Amino acid sequence: MIDRIRALLTVIEEGSVNRAAVRLRITQPALSRQIQALENEIGGKLLERETSGVKPTGLGHALVKAMQPLVESYDNTMADLRRQARGERSELRVGYLGSAAQSFLTPALATLRKSHPAARLKLHDLSPREQIAALRSGELDVALIGQEGLAAAKEFHSAKLCSLGVCAALADSDPLATKNSIALRDLKGRDFIGIDEAEMPGRNRWMTALCKPAGFKPRFIAIVDGLTNVLSHVVSESAVTLVPAYFAKSSHPGVAFVQIGDPKAQWDFIVLWQKGSSSAAARALVGALKQVEVGQGT
């Protein structure tokens, strides 16, 4: 169908079936058959034959008005898909966790700019759930995500950038809040605040797994949506939650972040990217992110 419409548009542009056939590199009889098949499919004449050539009928004009933008969009889309198939996509869509990604993403993007100055970047500060959904729908090329990304790691290429330490988030009035470091066993018997699994897949299971070697299972008295709400409940309920160590650099009213000293208490920071023919820019960004890991250590 699209080839027949394109053939008709070419005939109308040229004003001649013969000239259009030359431009399309097909024979005149073959082109005439395409036009006739299109007219039969639509149910009306699209061209008027005159001694000087051909011109569109009223129905032909209506088809041109309706279909020319669609054909152009189709051609542009196909050209973009072919570039992607060759790994030549010029737009790079990156999702990231704002608080966690700054120390990785900023230097990696500086490296990318040097190797791919023409790459158009679209950066999206998204939660883990949003990043995974955007990867699955094809709206992201690369996702800079936390341990929660492991839930979807089999669907995409993945690489661990580093393992970070862990902090306990406590009310600042808690006796443990004044310590520089505590052990997980110090939290035994405490009430925990969990986060909605739809928002951060696997976060509560991660906390449970961390506490198991310390001899207890966290007692989640509330499961709430969003880290801000989690921290607010930590204060209001005099409870505790576990977060990656980078939270120690942040602040939240009434909350203290205390380092967990257990050597096996870690939070993995990973990058996910689309399988298939990834663009050169996407591969370069992943490589740059891995170099940042080497430079920073764990």
Side-chain angles (χ1 to χ4, degrees):
M1 182 68 168
I2 192 73
D3 290 335
R4 293 173 184 174
I5 294 172
R6 187 182 287 107
L8 176 73
L9 295 175
T10 304
V11 170
I12 292 173
E13 288 175 8
E14 294 292 340
S16 164
V17 175
N18 289 333
R19 288 195 297 271
V22 172
R23 178 173 157 186
L24 293 170
R25 298 181 179 179
I26 61 176
T27 65
Q28 185 272 331
L31 179 55
S32 294
R33 286 194 296 271
Q34 283 188 321
I35 300 302
Q36 185 177 13
L38 183 60
E39 289 177 330
N40 291 338
E41 188 167 357
I42 292 174
K45 286 290 184 182
L46 299 171
L47 295 173
E48 293 284 354
R49 276 77 176 177
E50 299 181 343
T51 55
S52 59
V54 294
K55 66 178 183 180
T57 63
L59 187 60
H61 279 296
L63 184 144
V64 170
K65 183 177 180 181
M67 292 296 181
Q68 192 161 34
L70 295 178
V71 172
E72 291 175 356
S73 176
Y74 173 86
D75 289 341
N76 290 336
T77 298
M78 289 301 295
D80 183 59
L81 289 171
R82 291 186 184 104
R83 286 193 294 270
Q84 290 186 51
R86 297 192 299 267
E88 297 175 0
R89 186 185 181 96
S90 59
E91 181 181 272
L92 183 60
R93 304 159 302 172
V94 182
Y96 66 98
L97 288 171
S99 51
Q102 184 177 2
S103 59
F104 284 89
L105 190 57
T106 299
L109 289 179
T111 300
L112 180 69
R113 283 298 187 196
K114 295 177 182 178
S115 62
H116 291 76
R120 298 196 308 271
L121 290 169
K122 285 192 175 182
L123 304 179
H124 305 275
D125 186 351
L126 302 171
S127 71
R129 175 187 61 80
E130 292 168 331
Q131 289 193 59
I132 292 171
L135 279 170
R136 286 172 173 162
S137 65
E139 297 173 21
L140 283 182
D141 301 302
V142 179
L144 199 55
I145 194 170
Q147 182 150 325
E148 294 76 18
L150 293 174
K154 292 182 179 179
E155 301 174 46
F156 309 99
H157 292 304
S158 65
K160 185 173 79 171
L161 297 178
C162 70
S163 292
L164 303 177
V166 178
C167 283
L170 304 150
D172 60 9
S173 59
D174 192 296
L176 294 178
T178 61
K179 296 182 177 292
N180 292 326
S181 177
I182 60 174
L184 283 167
R185 64 176 179 272
D186 295 329
L187 302 177
K188 187 175 182 178
R190 295 297 189 97
D191 293 333
F192 276 69
I193 305 297
I195 191 165
D196 187 351
E197 285 284 311
E199 185 70 19
M200 290 196 168
R203 175 61 69 93
N204 299 333
R205 293 193 299 273
W206 168 74
M207 284 192 274
T208 300
L210 285 181
C211 295
K212 185 176 180 180
F216 71 98
K217 182 178 181 179
R219 181 176 65 248
F220 294 105
I221 62 169
I223 304 293
V224 299
D225 182 22
L227 277 170
T228 299
N229 288 333
V230 169
L231 297 177
S232 295
H233 276 68
V234 163
V235 177
S236 64
E237 303 294 335
S238 297
V240 62
T241 197
L242 299 176
V243 293
Y246 64 81
F247 270 85
K249 299 178 182 179
S250 63
S251 62
H252 185 89
V255 177
F257 297 100
V258 182
Q259 186 75 30
I260 297 293
D262 303 52
K264 293 185 178 181
Q266 295 182 336
W267 182 84
D268 291 338
F269 196 27
I270 69 173
V271 59
L272 301 176
W273 67 101
Q274 296 286 0
K275 289 184 176 179
S277 183
S278 301
S279 70
R283 295 193 299 271
L285 177 59
V286 171
L289 287 166
K290 291 178 179 178
Q291 291 302 312
V292 173
E293 174 205 358
V294 172
Q296 290 189 172
T298 58

